[in-house]
Amino acid sequence: MKYHVWTEGCQMNVADSQRVGSALEHLGYQQTDAAEEADVIVMNTCVVRQSAEDKAAGRLTSFQPLKKKNPNLVINLMGCMVGVRGAEKLKKRFPFVDVFSPPSDPGPLIAYLTQGEVRSLEDAETTRRFLAMDDELILPVAERGKLVMAHIPVVYGCSHACTYCIIPYRRGIERSRPVGDIVAEARSLAAQGVKEITLLGQIVDRYGTDIPDGPNLAGLLRILNDVDGLERIRFLTSHPNYFGEDLMEAVAALPKVMPHIEVPIQAGDDTVLENMRRGYTREDYYRLVEKIRAKIPGCSIATDIIVGFPGETEEQFNQTYQTLADLRLDVAHLARYSPREGTVSARRMPDDVSAEEKMRRFRLLEELQEQIVAEINARYLGETVEVLFEEKVKNRWKGRTPTNKLVFVESESDLRGKMLPVSVTWTGPWSMQANLLQAVTLPTL
Ligand code: SAH
């Protein structure tokens, strides 16, 4: 019996897919890259922008002939396309799908495979609990002992309701996971060879606010910093209103917590920010960046920006451009506004910036950012940095610095999972090259 998983979207989906794969292996299934030979196909979907939704729908339709050929094939649609509110519309649109699962929940699929049907939501919940009790059930076999970096969801859902964002509708309200579950998962991942974990949440710094007697994110980081075998800890995504000083101090003080913060600004104009209902001003964000840099020396900062939000004028866009030019951040994830059904902006604000104009603004920011990052990275030239190596890509080992910069090193040795000092010999906007500093006595591949 074989299973095939297709994953799209954020790191949360990647983490969810690993857990589904692992659960299926527990039932005796083996992973395959070929959808045609699978007995179970899991499609883990994203709908954050129209393009992602179209891709998922296209892919799903391409599986229909497989179902005709093999009526026993089980197709499971999972993730944000399904959401937490039931799948009646989707059932009509995709009648060949056997099981619909909300994000982060392998339960319905496992209940279907073990009991032949999903009788009630409790069934799914019971199955999920049962699975969560087994420590091994985190990484699929193919990744055990090989995967260097893994993600751990710590906050599910989101209750913030930015006007453009569909995530709260599809992932439900904000729920923090109990600290015990997270630590058990971190230990299990470390035992399976993982060296770096990234804690995930839509607003990860709100971790624990819904659990009165539990730790906050800073407290959780302190606990995880003591897990043997783990070398590095990261977390994302932060929100400017919740990334507080205690968290900055924890990042600065804890040796395993890396100096890299993902904190989206989304726009650099106050009116646009207000229309997005982000809850802060451009000035607030400037002060935040200043504080992060003062409290966490050498910290790299990544941001997200949406161009072409409804009503965004040329002048307002220029404010965003200027913001990016002023702040000189390490990464800017850029997106063109995409109206999502049911969100406040899609219901109340006309999508009035043309596709061409969105593209023009996108390109302008892209060019600016490329230049900034090239300059930031050039400062690494000749420096010694500690790199955690992940995998060999062609003839070079790929790894990351504490600040999350991509580094390539030529070596015949097996560097997977090793943390080694390197000397940077070349830098570009998207990656660097380096040499190992010390002669490494490691087995060759
Ligand atoms: N919770 C995180 C990440 C949300 S999704 C946050 O607070 O930002 C990742 C990114 O997708 C967002 O940061 C945003 O830049 C982008 N995004 C979300 N909704 C979008 C939409 N409707 N159109 C275009 N980009 C969008």
Side-chain angles (χ1 to χ4, degrees), residues 48-49 164-165 167 202 237 264 266 278 304 306 335-338 340:
V48 76
R49 285 179 283 278
Y164 53 83
C165 192
I167 294 174
Q202 298 301 330
T237 305
Q266 308 297 4
R278 286 291 290 177
D304 293 9
I306 299 174
R336 288 164 284 161
Y337 172 71
S338 168
R340 311 283 49 227

Side-chain angles (χ1 to χ4, degrees), residues 195 221-227 230-234 248-260 296 386 402 419:
K195 303 286 182 208
L221 290 171
R222 276 185 208 107
I223 295 167
L224 292 172
N225 192 69
D226 290 337
V227 172
L230 287 184
E231 307 261 14
R232 288 181 169 183
I233 304 168
R234 302 179 189 277
M248 293 180 202
E249 280 156 16
V251 175
L254 296 168
K256 290 184 187 174
V257 179
M258 294 293 106
H260 174 75
I296 315 169
E386 194 98 46
M419 198 148 73

